[in-house]
Amino acid sequence: MPTPVIMPQMGESIVEGTITKWLKKIGDSVEKDEPLFEISTDKVDAEIPAPSSGVLTEIKFPEGATVGINTVVAMLDGAAANAGSAPATAAKPQSNAPQVPAKPQSAAPQMPQAITPQVTGKGGIEIVMPQMGESIFEGTITKWLKQVGDSVKKDEPLFEISTDKVDAEIPSTVDGILTEIRAHEGETVQINAVVAIIGGSAPLETTALPQSAPTPQPTKPAAPQSSAAPVHQPAPIHTGDKIKSSPLVRRIAKEHNIDLRYVPGSGSNGRINKQDILAYLEKGSAAQQVQLPQTAIPRPEASQPKDLTAEVVPLTKMRAIIAQRMVESKRIAPHVHSIYKVDMTRIARLRDRERAAFEQRHGVKLTYMPFIAVAAVEALRRHPIVNASLVDNAIHYHANINLGIAVALEWGLIVPTVRESEKRSFADLARSIADLAGRARAKKLSPNEVGGSTFTLTNPGIFGDEFGLPIINQPESAILAIGALKKEPVVLSDAEGNDTIAIRSMQYYCLGFDHRLIDGADAGKFMSEFKHQLETWDRPLS
């Protein structure tokens, strides 16, 4: 049976690799774990071993090609090797049955299963259910974003899935026509099972499953194009239609309205990598950017009264997991809550003064969250017990502060993680929080961006809550809930003991903590330090 060889992911932030050298040619026999080709990424150069023994029957990309992770780059035919036959010129048709992934060998790098195209006997490309994490073996198709007969562009979202960890949009890896849908909305499918076929021309009407009155998908309006460059705009660095960059770079550029023609690239042949665009963002010079028109984020419409009807609606996978974990947390940990009121006037005035300049310099809006995150990180550094976990009757002190940021979604709640927050600058924290929250709402998070947090921030105050009593995000030992920021009269005392009444910006913060590990005194010391950091803020916003 033909075996696809895919471009491996060589790190969490690596989304593509460049094939620098093929170590075998078509017709050569290859042993399992024998080096097959060499790749170069933003971080490493590496030899990639063959996933199985066989004959190299097809090379899909030449040397020098930059290929997205999980894309098929070659085909091996084990049958040809066993029979001693001449190499095939094309891959054999693949079975439609789900393929169970083999356990990774110690000598070869792990290759995450994702949306891997495979050639079918009819010339179409098989689209399979991706593996969204090492422990994930199935996914539920929640929505098809294209219907049979629709044109699909490479990297265009094709369908949405829900797993135990994330809800995500799955993009197409090829251009073509969606000719067949094999798994319907609501169906739970094993990883590597074929869910659709993309062909190069007309739909395969005879093999398509009948669709049960699909809901028409709204057409997204095209993003408005910039009509003119700002004054003093320098000449573009890159010319032509094709600018060499990774999908990650293109996503960052889209989110921050940056024209990649003006971003210097340090990679091969001027290729723009992640470091290049982040450095460009740091400069934040308006004269170096072409700003596309900002699309205003619509405020949620007021909910309309609905007719009450009796119905039973099954829990979504995400809702079921949330329910399970909340019950487990309350059962495992004796919850105690400590509530402090913080004078945020200094922060509010600083934010009002600096918000425009900050956004211009760093390409992200200045919210209150990075102030809160920095204050929490500083308090956690001074009181590490609040950042610890209780595991197997032992206290595990963590080497890093990984901040979980709870993000409310229309369909549930998710907690992406800002890792190693203690090493990040104010601006970097602001960018990371905004980026994770935005991609969580757009279903663009990867599994490694969810989980692994050591302390969580949750913000019920955005809905007007004075304060909330949060449930701990296991296996953490504490969670901080942020209340609404409100102006109110406050009694102030000067050095001579004279009292005055002033209007101040005040905010409640509630620390929920596990009393097995954290005493009330520890919680009080942490909250006092957190309060002090905010009320006496004197840090630069960089």
Side-chain angles (χ1 to χ4, degrees):
M1 179 181 292
T3 301
V5 180
I6 66 173
M7 175 63 70
Q9 184 172 17
M10 303 301 291
E12 290 185 0
S13 61
I14 303 299
V15 295
E16 65 182 11
T18 299
I19 299 173
T20 54
K21 187 176 183 181
W22 282 101
L23 304 175
K24 297 287 184 178
K25 62 181 182 295
I26 292 178
D28 286 353
S29 295
V30 182
E31 296 295 326
K32 183 178 181 180
D33 296 333
E34 182 181 5
L36 183 58
F37 61 104
E38 296 179 356
I39 67 170
S40 177
T41 72
D42 290 345
K43 291 186 176 180
V44 296
D45 292 346
E47 289 184 345
I48 305 303
S52 64
S53 299
V55 171
L56 181 60
T57 58
E58 184 179 3
I59 292 176
K60 294 181 179 288
F61 295 93
E63 294 177 357
T66 298
V67 183
I69 63 169
N70 301 311
T71 300
V72 176
V73 298
M75 298 296 295
L76 296 175
D77 194 337
N82 295 333
S85 60
T89 57
K92 293 182 179 180
Q94 299 294 310
S95 168
N96 294 337
Q99 302 175 11
V100 179
K103 293 183 179 179
Q105 303 296 317
S106 57
Q110 293 187 16
M111 300 180 182
Q113 300 297 318
I115 185 165
T116 307
Q118 299 182 24
V119 179
T120 70
K122 297 180 181 179
I125 299 296
E126 293 182 342
I127 304 300
V128 302
M129 173 62 69
Q131 184 170 15
M132 299 300 292
E134 291 182 3
S135 61
I136 305 299
F137 298 103
E138 65 181 16
T140 300
I141 295 178
T142 55
K143 187 177 184 181
W144 279 100
L145 304 175
K146 296 287 184 176
Q147 299 300 322
V148 172
D150 287 352
S151 296
V152 182
K153 295 292 184 182
K154 183 179 179 182
D155 297 329
E156 185 179 10
L158 183 59
F159 60 100
E160 295 179 357
I161 67 171
S162 177
T163 72
D164 288 351
K165 288 190 174 181
V166 293
D167 286 1
E169 288 182 345
I170 305 302
S172 173
T173 56
V174 294
D175 294 337
I177 304 293
L178 180 59
T179 57
E180 184 178 354
I181 290 177
R182 294 187 179 176
H184 291 298
E185 294 178 0
E187 188 173 341
T188 298
V189 182
Q190 298 292 313
I191 62 170
N192 297 320
V194 177
V195 298
I197 301 292
I198 293 180
S201 55
L204 303 176
E205 295 180 358
T206 58
T207 58
L209 290 176
Q211 302 294 311
S212 55
T215 302
Q217 303 298 323
T219 302
K220 297 181 179 178
Q225 300 297 317
S226 176
S227 59
V231 182
H232 308 316
Q233 174 65 46
I237 297 172
H238 306 278
T239 57
D241 296 332
K242 183 68 174 177
I243 300 174
K244 292 187 176 181
S245 62
S246 69
L248 176 63
V249 167
R250 294 192 290 274
R251 177 179 58 75
I252 295 174
K254 182 178 180 181
E255 290 174 354
H256 296 285
N257 301 307
I258 292 175
D259 190 329
L260 288 177
R261 294 179 301 164
Y262 298 86
V263 180
S266 61
S268 176
N269 297 320
R271 180 170 171 266
I272 304 170
N273 58 36
K274 178 183 177 182
Q275 288 72 26
D276 296 330
I277 195 163
L278 290 181
Y280 187 79
L281 275 172
E282 281 290 342
K283 291 182 180 179
S285 172
Q288 291 179 307
Q289 298 186 24
V290 170
Q291 295 287 345
L292 299 181
Q294 295 277 357
T295 301
I297 301 176
R299 297 180 63 86
E301 296 180 1
S303 58
Q304 299 298 319
K306 297 180 180 179
D307 293 333
L308 299 179
T309 57
E311 60 179 332
V312 177
V313 179
L315 289 178
T316 63
K317 184 175 288 289
M318 174 178 278
R319 190 77 259 165
I321 293 298
I322 291 172
Q324 174 188 340
R325 291 177 179 168
M326 293 300 96
V327 170
E328 287 177 353
S329 183
K330 292 291 284 187
R331 177 177 56 82
I332 292 170
H335 282 57
V336 181
H337 295 88
S338 180
I339 302 170
Y340 275 57
K341 182 182 280 191
V342 178
D343 188 340
M344 295 287 288
T345 307
R346 179 189 291 259
I347 299 293
R349 290 173 179 171
L350 175 62
R351 175 176 175 267
D352 287 342
R353 289 198 309 269
E354 298 292 332
R355 59 197 307 178
F358 183 88
E359 184 173 355
Q360 184 179 11
R361 287 196 309 271
H362 302 290
V364 64
K365 293 184 182 299
L366 181 59
T367 67
Y368 288 100
M369 187 59 82
F371 293 96
I372 297 166
V374 168
V377 166
E378 188 59 36
L380 290 169
R381 291 175 55 147
R382 294 169 186 257
H383 303 283
I385 188 66
V386 184
N387 192 55
S389 297
L390 184 60
V391 181
D392 296 330
N393 208 33
I395 301 174
H396 288 227
Y397 289 93
H398 300 292
N400 299 110
I401 298 171
N402 297 333
L403 278 184
I405 308 296
V407 179
L409 309 173
E410 291 182 4
W411 55 94
L413 181 74
I414 196 167
V415 185
T417 303
V418 181
R419 302 185 186 277
E420 299 186 349
S421 297
E422 78 282 1
K423 298 179 181 179
R424 297 174 182 263
S425 66
F426 181 94
D428 191 14
L429 269 175
R431 277 195 301 268
S432 298
I433 292 170
D435 172 60
L436 288 171
R439 288 192 290 116
R441 296 184 181 101
K443 300 183 180 180
K444 299 292 187 182
L445 289 177
S446 62
N448 55 36
E449 293 174 316
V450 180
S453 55
T454 59
F455 183 85
T456 293
L457 299 175
T458 182
N459 188 10
I462 60 174
F463 304 108
D465 292 25
E466 291 279 343
F467 58 83
L469 303 179
I471 297 177
I472 299 166
N473 184 24
Q474 296 293 330
E476 300 167 21
S477 294
I479 181 171
L480 185 66
I482 304 161
L485 182 69
K486 296 184 177 180
K487 290 186 176 181
E488 57 186 58
V490 177
V491 177
L492 302 178
S493 300
D494 61 21
E496 286 74 34
N498 300 313
D499 294 337
T500 57
I501 295 178
I503 302 299
R504 309 289 288 182
S505 296
M506 306 299 292
Q507 193 166 26
Y508 284 106
Y509 292 87
C510 177
L511 181 72
F513 59 95
D514 186 342
H515 212 347
R516 297 175 303 166
L517 188 65
I518 302 172
D519 293 330
D522 296 321
K525 292 174 184 176
F526 169 84
M527 289 301 291
S528 294
E529 181 61 39
F530 173 77
K531 174 182 171 77
H532 174 75
Q533 290 292 326
L534 290 174
E535 292 185 342
T536 63
W537 185 278
D538 60 356
R539 297 168 179 263
L541 306 186
S542 59

